[in-house]
Amino acid sequence: MRINFKNQHILNFMRNFIKVLSAAVIGTLCATTADAQIVYPYVMDFENTNPATKAYASTDTIVGNNLKWVMPGTYLGTPVSGSDFYNDAKSARVRLTNNSTGTQGYLEMVEDLPLGADTLSFYVAMYGSETGDSVLVQYSTNQGATWTNLSQIAITGTHSAGQKVTLIPNISSPIRFKFSKVKSTNVRINLDDIRVTPAAQATNLVLTNFSPTGMVHPSTDVITMTFNEDVALGTGNITLFEAGAGSVQYDVTTSQDVSVVNNVVTISNVALQPNKSYYVRYDSAAIVGDVSGLKAPGIYDNTTWTFSTTALALQNFEENFDNCNASAMGIFVAESLAGTQTWFCDTYNDTTSNFNPPYVTINGGTGSASFENEDYLITSIPVDLSGMDVEKVNLYYAEKRRFGGNGVTRGIYYSADYAGNAATATWTAIESNLEAIATTGTFIRRTKDITSKIDVTKPVYLAFKYESIEDADTSVNWSWSLDDIEMEVIEKGTAINPLKANSIYMDVLGIARGGEVNVRVASVEDMTAQLTIYDISGRKVYTQPAALKTGTQIVTIHNVNLNAGMYVIKLDSSKGSKVVKFIAE
Ligand SMILES: [Ca+2]
Ligand SMILES: [Ca+2]
Ligand SMILES: [Ca+2]
């Protein structure tokens, strides 16, 4: 079962917002940033700026309480008693960029306040007897790339009684502010005691995604965890448990297999076994926020993050799409070679006959047109009947059509060289044009004896293929659904053979070039095997022992002297032997 973990934790994230009130906490949070520390509440009172004075036309950087500003059109210096408004001894006077001429003056932070802003308050006043100006307050959360208006305030404050303004941006991300004189005339305004309190910050990291989940092939060798911010490794363990069996513990401070890039933690070189169930736990302190120092809640149960593995290769199998999702439709994967329509997980109920949702569907027609499509639904692991004494292979499936038309062709194919790209694979038809579906809206069960059609001597990928045509007519293409796909293999002299996992699976990836042969081997246990290469006349050209690990691995054989042509590689082990042909060039 897949838990809706993300939403649950967003909920917790929201619930756990707290006010950051302690100066000590703020100091700790800020200590991990590279910049000078900003102490909250941040105050710009113009009493101790560096430099202490500034002419209107100057565009110098002004530092106040460790934060950098620029203030074109702003005067800093000794105030004029009876004309300037100021608290304590100084304030800012804003006019035009060249004093009495130019464009409106402003004060802009050129660094962020790292903990955002809960409240922003300041004093504003008109200079002397001047009247009628406003101040525009803007903020930026993208380092000044763009500015958002927060408020524009008509100034009623006077030099003898400034006007206090309090705004509540309540933005938790790093933020900077800009204060601009609005009127283009040269009337002057004063600003003082700009004060920002920190916004509430998240109290923990959030694990926003993780993999694997659901059903995966045992060749999967990577575990990833994605967080809501950039992270670093802390102290503790990430632990992979095989349900009811042992576990592998990754100590994040010592394991060479644990790495971090930005907000993603990756565990490499994971060894999985076929037909097993797994769960993953991790310690709260194992992952920490890179900048924030926040910790994650961790996972301490065996239900939050679970997954299981398929057999190494398929023999008898049955897929009812109970765990269908967009990227893994059970043991099948979808590939679209033409057209934007694709196979998808479906639960639409237009019948109760044989209806067992979810199932998979593709529809090359929409309400507005009919589209050209070529789409495969392919087994994600090979069907390998080479170790069986095959008497009969039955393929069962339930299929349904919706809508009318004659623009759709369906077929069943297999490929011995499929390697993740249906376009470059060689497909052999088991049946290139399946029989018409007489009625719409109802699942119909089919039984096909494919014994003489499928290659039982080597691993092959089985595929259902949907093709539809381009036509402005909406009623040409129709929707094809599949469910309950089952392969039944009957061995000679036996009743129906039960599902069993191969002990060893092997194939050669691609064409051998430059004396290099890439052999993919899946094993149910650690063992030593012997790999031997023969040429087509049966002459041994290479032999070497290979230490196999549990799970799937690529064994690369280097520097073999191979002429162009066909070869055979043989694997001998205590679990039996396998022979695979390959081509060298
Ligand atoms: Ca002041
Ligand atoms: Ca189903
Ligand atoms: Ca398509």
Side-chain angles (χ1 to χ4, degrees), residues 78-401:
T78 305
V80 177
S81 180
S83 291
D84 278 305
F85 165 81
Y86 54 98
N87 293 325
D88 297 323
K90 292 180 174 177
S91 66
R93 187 195 306 150
V94 191
R95 206 178 195 192
L96 301 177
T97 46
N98 289 300
N99 190 357
S100 59
T101 62
T103 56
Q104 292 93 323
Y106 61 91
L107 299 87
E108 175 187 329
M109 297 177 180
V110 293
E111 290 180 317
D112 285 338
L113 296 165
L115 299 180
D118 182 17
T119 63
L120 164 67
S121 63
F122 60 93
Y123 286 84
V124 65
M126 296 302 303
Y127 177 87
S129 58
E130 295 171 357
T131 59
D133 212 339
S134 299
V135 61
L136 173 66
V137 183
Q138 297 170 293
Y139 69 87
S140 174
T141 54
N142 56 12
Q143 288 72 55
T146 57
W147 293 90
T148 303
N149 290 355
L150 181 63
S151 186
Q152 182 169 313
I153 298 113
I155 302 170
T156 57
T158 65
H159 66 84
S160 56
Q163 168 188 0
K164 186 176 183 185
V165 175
T166 300
L167 304 171
I168 307 175
N170 189 25
I171 291 170
S172 60
S173 60
I175 195 169
R176 60 184 66 183
F177 290 100
K178 182 177 182 179
F179 303 80
S180 304
K181 169 180 150 64
V182 172
K183 212 168 184 183
S184 59
T185 63
N186 65 5
V187 296
R188 287 157 284 193
I189 68 175
N190 288 114
L191 285 169
D192 204 359
D193 284 348
I194 297 167
R195 184 175 187 275
V196 181
T197 60
Q201 300 293 307
T203 57
N204 54 257
L205 289 179
V206 180
L207 183 63
T208 57
N209 202 1
F210 50 86
S211 77
T213 60
M215 182 73 87
V216 298
H217 190 260
S219 63
T220 303
D221 62 357
V222 171
I223 291 173
T224 62
M225 308 165 72
T226 305
F227 291 89
N228 64 322
E229 62 175 82
D230 288 359
V231 294
L233 298 173
T235 56
N237 299 308
I238 303 168
T239 309
L240 171 67
F241 292 86
E242 182 189 321
S247 63
V248 182
Q249 191 165 288
Y250 299 89
D251 182 328
V252 299
T253 57
T254 59
S255 173
Q256 299 291 308
D257 294 320
V258 182
S259 61
V260 175
V261 176
N262 300 325
N263 62 333
V264 179
V265 177
T266 300
I267 305 174
S268 305
N269 301 314
V270 175
L272 301 177
Q273 297 195 52
N275 289 322
K276 299 290 184 189
S277 296
Y278 292 91
Y279 57 94
V280 181
R281 295 179 181 174
Y282 75 103
D283 293 330
S284 170
I287 316 293
V288 294
D290 189 17
V291 173
S292 67
L294 295 176
K295 293 184 177 71
I299 296 176
Y300 295 96
D301 59 50
N302 57 7
T303 56
T304 301
W305 181 355
T306 63
F307 65 94
S308 50
T309 52
T310 62
L312 294 170
L314 300 169
Q315 291 169 336
N316 292 280
F317 71 84
E318 187 172 356
E319 179 54 65
N320 59 18
F321 299 104
D322 273 357
N323 295 304
C324 194
N325 65 64
S327 61
M329 296 169 172
I331 61 164
F332 288 89
V333 291
E335 272 198 59
S336 173
L337 300 193
T340 54
Q341 288 72 41
T342 58
W343 287 98
F344 62 93
C345 303
D346 196 356
T347 57
Y348 181 79
N349 184 8
D350 53 1
T351 176
T352 55
S353 176
N354 295 324
F355 178 64
N356 181 28
Y359 52 94
V360 291
T361 297
I362 183 164
N363 186 3
T366 71
S368 57
S370 294
F371 300 103
E372 182 188 352
N373 277 280
E374 181 183 352
D375 285 74
Y376 289 78
L377 185 72
I378 310 166
T379 55
S380 59
I381 46 179
V383 174
D384 185 0
L385 309 183
S386 62
M388 303 175 79
D389 191 8
V390 175
E391 167 138 352
K392 192 175 181 193
V393 183
N394 287 322
L395 181 65
Y396 304 97
Y397 55 93
E399 64 175 346
K400 181 184 78 165
R401 75 178 278 173

